Amino acid sequence: MVRMDGAPDLDPIPLVTVDDPHPVYRELRENHPVYHCAGRDLWVLSRHADILAAVRDPATWSSGRGVVPSGYMPDPAPMIVMDGPEHDALRKAVMRAFTPRRIDRLAGRIRQIAQDLLAKLPPSGEVDAFESYTDPLPIYVMGELLGVDPEQRPMFKRCGDAIVYASGSDPAVLHAAQAELSAYLEGVFEERRRHPGHDLISVLLHESPEGRALSHAELLALCFLLLVAGTETTTSALGNALLLLERDRDARRRLLAEPGRMETAVEEILRFDSPVQGLCRVATRDVELHGVTIPEGARVHLLFAAANRDPRVFADAERFDIARSPNPHIAFGFGVHFCLGASLARMELRVGLEQWLRRAPEYALDAAALVRLPSDTNRGFGALPVSLG
């Protein structure tokens, strides 16, 4: 279907739930790099250079009015929906808990958690890799980092799904999920004030030479972000990895034969099928781009997944290449809002995939039976049926 202005009638946002959104992303990127989804009054940018310029200019492209297409604003608001000095001061305070040494110390625990989950699988037969592995692994790892009870995983998952996959659609469900998660975290905060440990919550509740203590609201918002977005995206990335290596058995065999390629493989997985397809900004002034004026106040979707296959940046961009280098993808964003947990996510993806391939190198994933969950931004799964061989 063609609109009256001659552009195709495309709404790229729901395509995160389909098997392959990239034909539409390619049409947008090559022929309509500034596209207006009239039904949603949402503008879309899809070229790498345009998106990189936008995330480098937070004064023009604001995060402070929400970063998802629906305009949903979490309460309390995390750093991801802050601008300027407020964001910068909070990020500096939080970064002291995300030191390379702290993240590196988690590698052994990630490996052990992965091995424990895999040990529960049957020797052969059919399993749901989502339920048994890709979903619990990031939640248990985040529980380890924060110092929360990993046995609360069902509650974290229930609340996280309500927030990630129902944001903006059912206020009652969102409110209930936020209230349940908040009540649990309130108890954890109180316990850490009385008995601090070495976990991230304890570190951020107390001042140190490296930075100020977080306020109650700031810490609550950060824990929401880590327990919800910080686990859901890694779960999605692991699922994407299993699917990509099912579809490209040669790449899987090469990775098994050359395990030293795992780091470049992880970067290519993030580029080729980004777990977060894009996030929004709001224009603080009129912006002219490619002969089109985006008006002040417009909500603009930065389509990271389209940018990550831009042939202007990536040679043979539509080819999955586990040896690709350099690989300047923007799966974690860029600039002041570059993903705080990127190093942790990379480690989880690397270790999680290594351990899965060691346990089930001949797995077969039933791509026709996998279930994608509805979301404006996240290419997540609700089921990943596999045969262990």
Side-chain angles (χ1 to χ4, degrees), residues 233-250:
T233 52
T234 307
T235 287
S236 298
L238 277 169
N240 292 343
L242 295 186
L243 181 57
L244 287 170
L245 293 178
E246 169 63 26
R247 289 174 167 168
D248 191 338
R249 294 290 187 96
D250 287 342

Side-chain angles (χ1 to χ4, degrees), residues 118 121-130 132-134 237-253 255-256 262 269 320 349 352-367 370 384-389:
L118 292 169
L121 299 182
S124 61
E126 306 290 328
V127 298
D128 182 351
F130 170 81
S132 60
Y133 191 66
T134 67
L238 277 169
N240 292 343
L242 295 186
L243 181 57
L244 287 170
L245 293 178
E246 169 63 26
R247 289 174 167 168
D248 191 338
R249 294 290 187 96
D250 287 342
R252 191 198 307 187
R253 284 189 285 269
L255 196 52
L256 287 165
M262 183 59 77
I269 289 162
F320 179 61
L349 190 52
L353 192 53
E354 284 172 348
Q355 295 304 311
W356 174 272
L357 291 176
R358 183 172 297 177
R359 167 63 179 81
E362 300 300 325
Y363 77 92
L365 194 155
D366 186 355
L370 64 80
L384 284 168
V386 303
S387 171
L388 296 175

Side-chain angles (χ1 to χ4, degrees), residues 97-294:
F98 281 86
T99 62
R101 178 180 297 180
R102 180 179 294 276
I103 300 303
D104 287 345
R105 283 203 303 259
L106 276 174
R109 283 297 298 143
I110 296 171
R111 187 173 298 107
Q112 188 60 58
I113 292 168
Q115 291 172 352
D116 290 346
L117 290 169
L118 292 169
K120 297 176 183 178
L121 299 182
S124 61
E126 306 290 328
V127 298
D128 182 351
F130 170 81
E131 181 62 32
S132 60
Y133 191 66
T134 67
D135 183 52
L137 177 63
I139 293 177
Y140 288 148
V141 171
M142 192 59 70
E144 186 93 10
L145 180 67
L146 292 175
V148 299
D149 183 0
E151 297 309 313
Q152 293 292 329
R153 178 203 163 206
M155 184 269 288
F156 298 150
K157 179 62 180 170
R158 183 176 63 255
C159 294
D161 282 355
I163 294 169
V164 172
Y165 295 110
S167 60
S169 62
D170 191 336
V173 171
L174 286 171
H175 179 77
Q178 290 174 342
E180 184 176 6
L181 190 53
S182 294
Y184 171 76
L185 290 170
E186 298 278 1
V188 174
F189 296 168
E190 183 57 34
E191 172 64 20
R192 294 300 184 279
R193 287 189 183 96
R194 290 185 281 115
H195 304 290
H198 299 289
D199 55 272
L200 185 145
I201 288 175
S202 294
V203 170
L204 294 177
L205 274 171
H206 298 85
E207 293 185 11
S208 78
E210 294 82 24
R212 65 173 176 84
L214 266 65
S215 71
H216 181 86
E218 289 170 343
L219 185 56
L220 189 61
L222 177 65
C223 289
F224 263 59
L225 184 65
L226 294 176
L227 282 169
V228 177
T231 59
E232 194 64 48
T233 52
T234 307
T235 287
S236 298
L238 277 169
N240 292 343
L242 295 186
L243 181 57
L244 287 170
L245 293 178
E246 169 63 26
R247 289 174 167 168
D248 191 338
R249 294 290 187 96
D250 287 342
R252 191 198 307 187
R253 284 189 285 269
R254 186 178 182 188
L255 196 52
L256 287 165
E258 305 174 51
R261 293 197 180 277
M262 183 59 77
E263 288 192 8
T264 56
V266 162
E267 298 306 313
E268 181 67 347
I269 289 162
L270 291 165
R271 179 195 76 87
F272 196 79
D273 199 0
S274 307
V276 176
Q277 298 284 280
L279 292 172
C280 284
R281 300 292 188 266
V282 173
T284 62
R285 59 177 177 83
D286 288 355
V287 177
E288 184 172 343
L289 189 61
H290 300 295
V292 178
T293 298
I294 300 173

